[in-house]
């Protein structure tokens, strides 16, 4: 067993453990941090397979953007199951542990170096030999996997709409909006035009009707 196989099994074990922790923690913030570690470990696995584009996209898009939105949703929904609002220091140990594991995985990838890993397969051997993996992904995504790609886009759109609807639910002590009532508003119900006679000041300063 070479060093690359050892690195693969270690990264896979970390990814599986953190994935189980996502659904095991009671604290939603701890679950989000575990999901960040899961995404990062998966990105390291992509790098081992020489799929650099997928690994970088997973880090930049999911960890850098989507997970931040997850944190915002957790805070907006207020889905705390334990006494919260004790400050950032309560989550600091978990954040340090996640950062330490991510740093260890980076060192592990540096140890792998530029070893000969098996390239991603392709239906066209010439394309696999001369094109980059970005070209390979584009060719596969918009030809053979076009329907699953569009289906995933629709599912993500529905998820975004549902998340917005959840934030608009009525809760005690919060202000809510009813979009259907706002659309039916008429100008005559909200605005009243009042006609007033113009006035001018006389020489002694007293207003006079004109």
């Amino acid at each position: 067993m070479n060093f690359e196989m050892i690195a693969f099994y270690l990264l896979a074990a970390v990814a599986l453990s953190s994935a189980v922790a996502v659904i095991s923690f009671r604290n939603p913030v701890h679950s989000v941090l575990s999901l960040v570690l899961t995404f990062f470990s998966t990105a390291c696995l992509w790098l081992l397979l020489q799929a650099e584009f997928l690994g970088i996209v997973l880090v930049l898009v999911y960890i850098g953007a989507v997970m931040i939105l997850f944190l915002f949703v957790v805070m907006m929904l207020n889905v705390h199951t334990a006494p919260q609002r004790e400050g950032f220091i309560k989550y600091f140990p978990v954040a340090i542990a996640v950062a330490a594991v991510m740093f260890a995985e980076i060192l592990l990838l540096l140890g792998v170096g530029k070893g000969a890993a098996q390239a991603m397969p392709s239906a066209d051997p010439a394309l696999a030999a001369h094109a980059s993996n970005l070209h390979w992904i584009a060719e596969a995504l918009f030809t053979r996997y076009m329907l699953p790609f569009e289906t995933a886009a629709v599912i993500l759109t529905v998820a975004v709409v549902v998340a917005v609807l959840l934030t608009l639910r009525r809760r005690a002590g919060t202000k809510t909006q009813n979009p259907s009532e706002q659309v039916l508003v008429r100008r005559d119900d909200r605005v009243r035009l009042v006609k007033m006679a113009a006035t001018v000041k006389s020489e002694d300063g007293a207003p006079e009707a004109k």
Side-chain angles (χ1 to χ4, degrees):
M1 181 180 292
N2 56 12
F3 186 73
E4 290 187 12
M5 291 300 299
I6 296 175
F8 172 80
Y9 284 120
L10 289 177
L11 294 174
V14 173
L16 290 176
S17 302
S18 56
V20 173
V22 172
I23 60 176
S24 301
F25 282 137
R26 288 188 174 185
N27 194 318
V29 179
H30 293 171
S31 297
V32 171
L33 292 175
S34 299
L35 190 56
V36 170
L37 182 57
T38 304
F39 284 153
F40 189 83
S41 301
T42 306
C44 294
L45 290 175
W46 282 118
L47 292 177
L48 284 178
L49 294 175
Q50 293 185 353
E52 297 85 3
F53 176 76
L54 291 179
I56 296 301
V57 167
L58 194 59
V59 171
L60 295 181
V61 177
Y62 281 88
I63 299 179
V66 176
M67 294 313 305
I68 301 302
L69 293 179
F70 278 10
L71 282 175
F72 286 160
V73 170
V74 168
M75 296 175 183
M76 291 172 64
L77 294 180
N78 196 23
V79 290
H80 301 288
T81 58
Q84 303 294 319
R85 307 179 187 280
E86 297 182 4
F88 173 76
I89 193 64
K90 182 175 182 179
Y91 312 114
F92 190 70
V94 179
I96 289 296
V98 171
V101 175
M102 292 171 63
F103 182 71
E105 291 179 349
I106 293 176
L107 295 180
L108 189 62
L109 284 178
L110 293 177
V112 172
K114 299 181 179 180
Q118 184 177 1
M120 299 178 66
S122 176
D124 187 359
L127 180 63
H130 302 288
S132 63
N133 54 54
L134 179 59
H135 190 180
W136 183 91
I137 292 172
E139 183 268 339
L141 188 62
F142 294 103
T143 54
R144 292 180 293 171
Y145 303 105
M146 187 66 183
L147 181 59
F149 177 73
E150 294 180 347
T151 304
V154 173
I155 294 175
L156 290 175
T157 304
V158 173
V160 171
V161 174
V162 172
V164 173
L165 292 178
L166 287 175
T167 59
L168 294 178
R169 77 183 194 276
R170 296 183 179 275
R171 290 176 293 173
T174 59
K175 296 181 180 180
T176 59
Q177 296 180 347
N178 191 335
S180 60
E181 294 181 357
Q182 293 177 339
V183 172
L184 297 177
V185 169
R186 298 183 305 171
R187 186 199 63 176
D188 297 337
D189 298 335
R190 297 295 180 92
V191 180
R192 183 165 60 94
L193 300 179
V194 179
K195 294 183 179 181
M196 300 179 62
T199 58
V200 296
K201 290 185 179 181
S202 60
E203 295 180 357
D204 56 357
E208 295 181 353
K210 182 177 180 182

